[in-house]
Amino acid sequence: SELGESDPCFDGNTLNIFRGRAGTGKTIDLIKIAIKLVDEEGVRVQILTYNRALVSDIRRLFTLAELPDMFEEKCVSVNTMQSYFFGLINGCLYDGNLSGDEYLKKYHELIKEMIDFLNSDDDAKEIIRTICEDNPKLNWEYILIDEAQDWSEDERNLILLLYDKNRILVADGGQQFVRGLTPCDWTIVSDRNNIKLKCCLRQKRNLVKFVNYYAEIMGQSSNKVVPSEELVGGKIIIIKDKEKVFPTIKTEKQELKKAGNESYDFLFIVPPTMVENVEGHRRFKLIKEFEKKDILLWDGTNEDNRLEFSIDLSESRVLQYESARGLEGWTVCCMNFDEYMQIKEQQYDPSMEGNALLLESAEERKKKYLLNWAMIPLTRAIDTLIITLDDENSYYSRQLLKLAEQHPDYVRVL
């Protein structure tokens, strides 16, 4: 479909930046633009994002898209930025002799080494571009970046050295980030076209209201998102009684299918305490228990599975909270949400904050950090959000239960 106001301009030498909170359609717009560029201009497009789970999901969206007849699938690629930079650095500086282990160990040093080479003399960029033209895995005419706020400054600077600004499109989620406490600033680019996405295109109205109220209760009311007038309805179920988890999942799975969805559209998000290591492989601890209840799972907590998306629509997905950003489901179950938030609070290190505003108190900065982590799981659901609690008396559980009391028309507590 047409992008309308979201359609970027690739003329001149301007960097296009989509700006919007979770659910405002940034990833879908990137996919639409990639399809349009390949189909209408016959160019090669690379989409980069920050983790393999999201790479897998974007690839799945391409397979589900109604691609134009003339669309060349080999002209678009979806990868993590680490995978892309490995191919670039290995092919251009190390003649293919750099091992993956060494690359990961020296990742930040190697990114700086590549930047230094590109800045070394006037011919360096042309040398790199010539090498890339001979390698189809490196020869891209446009770079589309998802979750750009999660890049480091060096990663940003490297891509800006490699490509002209009008060949880059950035989707920036603002304060949403995972890898660090400070989001990457793309506004350092003077010639830029900011495209603001204000309306939530993922979540139904009641879920958007719930998330906005949660931001208020966390003391961060400025994080509000505008709900779509067309996406009415939506519900939240908070489960205190562990005995009611599986019966609720079964009921909501039936509701999901009545609405025309598949089991794949049921997404489970879990804390690290629900992941175990078995013979060197990580897996979801309760996977056998789920299977006994006739709930088949594609286990995204196992990194071996993340390279490809599930092709079995009878499987629901399960991933850790940290890997869920960018994903969505008709029904999403956030398991032991209070435990997850307590883990994030314990991990908070104020000394890691870079250029924090002096006007913000230490407590305000901590609240903002915790809300960022809370927004990742709370903004994944389209229609139904299920939240299970480990300890109903914990601080984060009490917050949610307070919201449930205030909004009983669409929040149910079991």
Side-chain angles (χ1 to χ4, degrees):
S1 62
E2 292 302 315
L3 290 165
E5 294 179 1
S6 300
D7 207 349
C9 175
F10 291 107
D11 296 331
N13 194 26
T14 301
L15 175 70
N16 289 286
I17 305 178
F18 281 145
R19 294 193 177 281
R21 298 288 178 187
T24 51
K26 299 183 297 297
T27 302
I28 292 296
D29 278 352
L30 285 186
I31 292 172
K32 288 178 180 177
I33 289 163
I35 291 171
K36 188 175 181 179
L37 286 170
V38 173
D39 186 52
E40 295 183 4
E41 299 186 26
V43 295
R44 291 171 56 80
V45 180
Q46 174 78 272
I47 299 178
L48 299 178
T49 191
Y50 81 106
N51 79 6
R52 291 190 294 179
L54 190 49
V55 166
S56 173
D57 212 57
I58 293 174
R59 287 175 180 166
R60 177 177 180 268
L61 289 174
F62 265 101
T63 67
L64 295 175
E66 294 182 6
L67 300 176
D69 292 340
M70 301 299 291
F71 181 82
E72 292 287 343
E73 292 187 49
K74 63 179 178 294
C75 290
V76 65
S77 176
V78 187
N79 277 301
T80 62
M81 86 270 266
Q82 293 93 342
S83 175
Y84 170 72
F85 286 138
F86 174 64
L88 181 77
I89 293 168
N90 196 20
C92 296
L93 298 185
Y94 287 84
D95 199 25
N97 295 316
L98 180 66
S99 72
D101 288 340
E102 187 178 3
Y103 168 73
L104 292 174
K105 195 181 298 181
K106 298 180 178 179
Y107 177 73
H108 298 290
E109 297 170 39
L110 292 167
I111 295 291
K112 288 181 184 293
E113 184 180 340
M114 190 71 188
I115 291 173
D116 290 342
F117 177 79
L118 286 164
N119 286 324
S120 61
D121 60 51
D122 294 337
D123 297 327
K125 287 185 184 180
E126 200 55 45
I127 291 170
I128 295 299
R129 285 178 178 174
T130 301
I131 294 172
C132 290
E133 283 174 3
D134 294 331
N135 186 339
K137 291 185 178 179
L138 301 176
N139 185 19
W140 306 104
E141 290 155 281
Y142 286 86
I143 294 288
L144 310 186
I145 300 171
D146 199 17
E147 306 293 358
Q149 74 280 359
D150 211 25
W151 282 42
S152 70
E153 287 187 8
D154 284 336
E155 289 164 342
R156 175 201 64 198
N157 294 341
L158 177 52
I159 211 76
L160 290 172
L161 283 169
L162 290 166
Y163 290 88
D164 294 334
K165 286 180 287 187
N166 63 339
R167 296 286 170 152
I168 303 170
L169 173 62
V170 167
D172 185 349
Q175 292 295 323
Q176 305 174 69
F177 50 90
V178 168
R179 296 165 77 205
L181 287 173
T182 306
C184 183
D185 182 11
W186 291 84
T187 64
I188 63 157
V189 179
S190 55
D191 297 320
R192 62 184 185 275
N193 175 29
N194 289 326
I195 304 166
K196 292 184 179 179
L197 307 175
K198 298 178 181 179
C199 187
C200 185
L201 303 178
R202 174 188 296 146
Q203 298 193 287
K204 291 190 175 181
R205 190 179 229 354
N206 289 338
L207 273 71
V208 176
K209 285 160 58 179
F210 179 78
V211 169
N212 285 338
Y213 286 133
Y214 186 83
E216 277 185 19
I217 214 169
M218 288 283 284
Q220 299 291 319
S221 57
S222 62
N223 283 268
K224 288 187 176 182
V225 176
V226 179
S228 168
E229 293 295 330
E230 297 175 5
L231 297 175
V232 296
K235 64 185 178 185
I236 297 93
I237 303 170
I238 300 173
I239 305 178
K240 299 193 295 182
D241 184 352
K242 291 179 173 61
E243 296 297 319
K244 294 184 178 177
V245 172
F246 281 113
T248 303
I249 290 171
K250 185 176 180 180
T251 300
E252 293 308 317
K253 193 174 175 182
Q254 291 171 346
E255 291 297 315
L256 171 145
K257 290 190 173 181
K258 279 183 189 175
N261 300 287
E262 300 288 349
S263 296
Y264 187 93
D265 298 302
F266 204 132
L267 174 64
F268 294 90
I269 318 178
V270 301
T273 50
M274 287 190 170
V275 180
E276 62 185 359
N277 196 308
V278 179
E279 298 179 355
H281 297 279
R282 284 148 42 96
R283 73 174 187 187
F284 177 43
K285 273 185 181 179
L286 303 180
I287 193 162
K288 297 294 183 185
E289 191 174 345
F290 269 65
E291 288 173 353
K292 286 178 183 176
K293 302 288 186 181
D294 198 30
I295 304 168
L296 302 179
L297 295 175
W298 174 81
D299 189 358
T301 69
N302 183 340
E303 292 184 351
D304 296 338
N305 290 339
R306 287 195 212 162
L307 292 175
E308 298 295 336
F309 58 84
S310 172
I311 58 172
D312 187 348
L313 294 179
S314 68
E315 293 179 330
S316 297
R317 293 164 290 164
V318 57
L319 292 110
Q320 280 192 233
Y321 279 99
E322 288 85 350
S323 300
R325 181 146 59 84
L327 305 181
E328 63 181 35
W330 183 262
T331 303
V332 174
C333 181
C334 299
M335 303 195 72
N336 287 11
F337 177 81
D338 56 322
E339 183 181 23
Y340 156 71
M341 290 299 295
Q342 285 169 341
I343 291 170
K344 287 299 157 196
E345 183 174 7
Q346 291 163 7
Q347 290 175 348
Y348 177 66
D349 181 1
S351 66
M352 291 175 62
E353 293 188 75
N355 302 317
L357 289 174
L358 295 176
L359 295 175
E360 290 182 324
S361 68
E363 186 62 27
E364 285 171 333
R365 292 196 296 271
K366 184 177 180 181
K367 283 181 179 179
K368 184 181 289 185
Y369 161 88
L370 291 169
L371 181 65
N372 286 335
W373 281 108
M375 288 296 103
I376 293 173
L378 296 182
T379 55
R380 300 305 101 206
I382 296 170
D383 177 83
T384 302
L385 176 64
I386 303 169
I387 302 172
T388 77
L389 304 178
D390 180 55
D391 175 8
E392 65 178 278
N393 296 310
S394 69
Y395 170 72
Y396 295 103
S397 294
R398 292 199 309 271
Q399 281 185 316
L400 291 170
L401 294 172
K402 181 180 178 181
L403 278 182
E405 283 181 17
Q406 294 171 348
H407 307 282
D409 49 329
Y410 58 88
V411 185
R412 186 157 54 103
V413 177
L414 302 179

